[in-house]
Amino acid sequence: MQTTGHDTRPATEPIRIIAVDDHSLLRSALCELINTEPDLHVVADVDTSKGLGDLIERTRAQVILLDVEMPDHDAPAVVSELTERFPELHVLMLTMYHEPQLVQDLIARGARGYLHKSVPRESLLLAIRNAAAQALNITIAVPRSGISESVFGETKQTLSPREREVLVHAAAALSNRQISSKLRITEGTVKRHLRNIFEKLGAVSRIDAVNKAVDAQLIRRP
């Protein structure tokens, strides 16, 4: 296990994250990626889910990035245990697999997101920020072939030019405040545009909306 030492924090405390993955190189790369973001901080990274509850208590972690497949690891059981013990904790699953039944099981047990390890960097960062912001939406970001068409639905409407602008910035992992500043509109207007985008695309999260918009060729992949 590796736990970071003292560091200089910005005025607003970064989101505290624990990365759990038995592949050390991948885990190290993940931590390095996250720690380049000023509002995110990996407080610990481990190669097993054993003793994870005690580690969460010590580090006051807010978000857990949890690998689905590890030795001696029952992902659904671990998710149930963590979400029951820490109701405010946000568990995001990272995986190389994308079986629909497993996705549904993990979400039903309290996971706030299920992301394939091939997702773009921006999608991961956005999922972490959305989870920590206590967004009600569930993040599912997997290859389109991994989930049945009924989950994704069909894009029946197009987006307005302003809605496309908002979604392009959201795809770049900008916050509502950052988007409002760039477009010179209020945060409330940004939220309204996002609600309209979700409704038009049948999306359940920003990442889902971005993926659907890209599939429908409404925006380009960031």
Side-chain angles (χ1 to χ4, degrees), residues 1 18 24 40-41 46 54 77 95 107 118 135 149 169 192-193:
M1 179 187 78
I18 293 177
S24 59
L40 307 178
H41 179 59
V46 295
D54 293 338
T95 181
I107 296 302
S118 66
E149 290 296 313
H169 288 310
R192 177 169 55 80
H193 283 311

Side-chain angles (χ1 to χ4, degrees), residues 180-191:
S180 69
S181 177
K182 281 186 172 291
L183 299 182
R184 297 183 179 180
I185 57 179
T186 67
E187 285 189 62
T189 300
V190 173
K191 292 178 181 178

Side-chain angles (χ1 to χ4, degrees), residues 25 134 139 181:
L25 288 178
Q134 312 231 358
T139 298
S181 177

Side-chain angles (χ1 to χ4, degrees), residues 31 35 38 44 46 62 86 99 111 121 135 146 160 167 184 209:
C31 295
N35 282 330
V46 295
Q62 299 160 280
F86 305 100
E99 297 90 342
R121 168 182 177 275
S160 70
L167 191 56
R184 297 183 179 180

Side-chain angles (χ1 to χ4, degrees), residues 20-72:
V20 186
D21 195 307
D22 63 319
H23 293 95
S24 59
L25 288 178
L26 189 152
R27 192 175 71 252
S28 296
L30 179 65
C31 295
E32 183 176 349
L33 181 155
I34 292 172
N35 282 330
T36 61
E37 301 294 313
D39 62 327
L40 307 178
H41 179 59
V42 178
V43 294
D45 63 273
V46 295
D47 60 4
T48 177
S49 59
K50 293 181 179 179
L52 191 53
D54 293 338
L55 182 60
I56 292 168
E57 286 190 341
R58 291 200 305 272
T59 61
R60 299 181 297 113
Q62 299 160 280
V63 176
I64 302 295
L65 302 178
L66 183 62
D67 189 12
V68 172
E69 290 288 333
M70 294 187 293
D72 302 318

Side-chain angles (χ1 to χ4, degrees), residues 79-80 83 90-93 103 105-114 138-139:
V79 171
S80 292
T83 54
H90 305 286
V91 182
L92 296 177
M93 310 304 300
V103 176
D105 188 16
L106 290 167
I107 296 302
R109 291 171 183 256
R112 300 301 301 167
Y114 187 98
I138 301 295
T139 298

